[in-house]
Amino acid sequence: ILGGSSAGPHQRPYMASLQVDGQHVCGGLLIAEQWVLSAAHCMEDMKGKAFQVLLGAHSLSQPEPHKRLYAVRAAVRHPGSNTETNDDDLLLLQVSAAPLPSARILPFQRQDVDVPPGTLCEAAGWGFTSHSGRKPDVLQQVERPVKSREECNKRPYHDNTITDKMLCTDSRKKDTCKGDSGGPLICNGVAEGVVTAGARVCGNFKKPGIYTRIAAYVDWIDGVMLWTGR
Ligand SMILES: NCc1cccc(NC(=O)c2cccc3[nH]c(C(N)=O)cc23)c1
C-alpha cells in the first residue's frame, strides 16, 4: 500500500496473508468459515511451493495471541484466470481448520451492480509501501475513490482493458502495490473487489488500481464452496 497508514491492531480481522516459506506473498479475505478469497495470480508467486494462510495477524513478525498459520486443504483458481490477462483473477482457498474466533468473515457484495464512481473505498494489505519495494511489518490501509469504467478505459489509463467484471480506483500517490494482490477493496463495509496487479505499476495516476468485482462471481464462489464442502 502506497501512501496509506497502519491499520489499528485487529481492526480488519478478515485479512489474510498468503505465505510461502514464512514470507508474505499476497493478501486475501475470509469470506466463509474456512474459505479465503484471493487472486489467482498469487499462485504464480508460489513457484509450486506449499503455501499457508495467516489469519488474525497485525504484525507479520511479532508473536500475537490471535495469529495463526493454516495449511491449505484446497486451492481453486477461477477457470478463466491466466498469466496473460487480469481476467477472472480469483482464487479460493479452503483452510485446514476452523479459524480462531478472532478471525472474522467479511461480507461480500452479491448484487451485480457497479459501485458508483466517486465512492470512497478502502484497500488493505502488507504489500510494498514504496516504489523501492519497502515491506511493512504491520497491516497498512488506504482510502481510494472509485474511478468510472468509462474514464478508466481511456488512454493514458487502461485503454479498453477494463471489463464489466473489473473496477478501478484512482491511483494518484495512494495506491495498492506488489503484495497487496488478493486483498479486499471495501466500500461501505462490504467487500466489492479483490486487488489485481493490473499494469504492475503503483502510485501512478495513469494506471488506476484494478480490482476484480466480486459480485460478478457469486455463482462461482458459492458453487466452489458448496461443491468442495463448505
Ligand atoms: N495498483 C497496482 C498494483 C496492485 C497490486 C500489485 C501490483 N504489483 C506490482 O506493481 C508489481 C509486480 C511485480 C513487480 C513490481 N515491482 C513494483 C514496484 N517496485 O513498484 C511493483 C511491482 C500493482
Side-chain angles (χ1 to χ4, degrees):
I1 301 278
L2 295 190
S5 57
S6 296
H10 316 298
Q11 183 191 0
R12 297 180 185 278
Y14 42 79
M15 279 305 296
S17 163
L18 304 196
Q19 311 217 331
V20 176
D21 298 336
Q23 289 297 309
H24 170 85
V25 171
C26 270
L29 59 146
L30 190 68
I31 61 161
E33 205 204 21
Q34 288 186 240
W35 290 93
V36 168
L37 182 63
S38 185
H41 281 287
C42 293
M43 292 281 281
E44 293 160 27
D45 308 343
M46 305 288 178
K47 303 179 185 68
K49 292 185 180 172
F51 58 101
Q52 284 93 20
V53 174
L54 180 69
L55 287 172
H58 175 57
S59 160
L60 291 176
S61 67
Q62 300 305 310
E64 297 173 331
H66 305 305
K67 253 167 104 168
R68 186 164 155 199
L69 201 57
Y70 296 84
V72 172
R73 180 183 294 169
V76 183
R77 266 180 285 203
H78 191 283
S81 62
N82 61 81
T83 54
E84 305 312 308
T85 72
N86 293 310
D87 295 334
D88 306 329
D89 189 15
L90 290 179
L91 170 67
L92 270 168
L93 300 168
Q94 185 177 31
V95 292
S96 55
L100 297 175
S102 46
R104 285 278 192 288
I105 287 165
L106 177 63
F108 58 87
Q109 182 58 255
R110 289 180 166 272
Q111 265 199 8
D112 195 350
V113 176
D114 272 332
V115 180
T119 304
L120 284 178
C121 301
E122 301 164 328
W126 288 276
F128 285 5
T129 53
S130 74
H131 288 282
S132 55
R134 189 175 329 119
K135 297 177 181 180
D137 180 54
V138 301
L139 183 64
Q140 302 293 299
Q141 61 189 10
V142 73
E143 189 178 68
R144 290 284 75 201
V146 170
K147 191 182 190 71
S148 74
R149 184 172 300 102
E150 184 192 9
E151 187 68 13
C152 196
N153 266 326
K154 290 177 181 169
R155 285 194 304 277
Y157 306 122
H158 287 299
D159 196 7
N160 290 319
T161 63
I162 307 301
T163 69
D164 293 349
K165 298 164 102 172
M166 299 172 190
L167 75 94
C168 294
T169 60
D170 179 85
S171 52
R172 185 174 188 72
K173 293 195 175 58
K174 301 180 178 187
D175 192 11
T176 47
C177 199
K178 183 172 171 57
D180 293 320
S181 295
L185 183 74
I186 303 155
C187 313
N188 301 312
V190 175
E192 292 278 358
V194 173
V195 178
T196 189
R200 293 178 164 253
V201 296
C202 312
N204 180 338
F205 80 98
K206 290 180 180 175
K207 296 304 169 209
I210 306 176
Y211 307 79
T212 304
R213 290 186 56 248
I214 300 171
Y217 294 89
V218 167
D219 292 348
W220 175 73
I221 292 169
D222 286 345
V224 168
M225 294 197 299
L226 218 54
W227 164 70
T228 322
R230 203 188 294 251

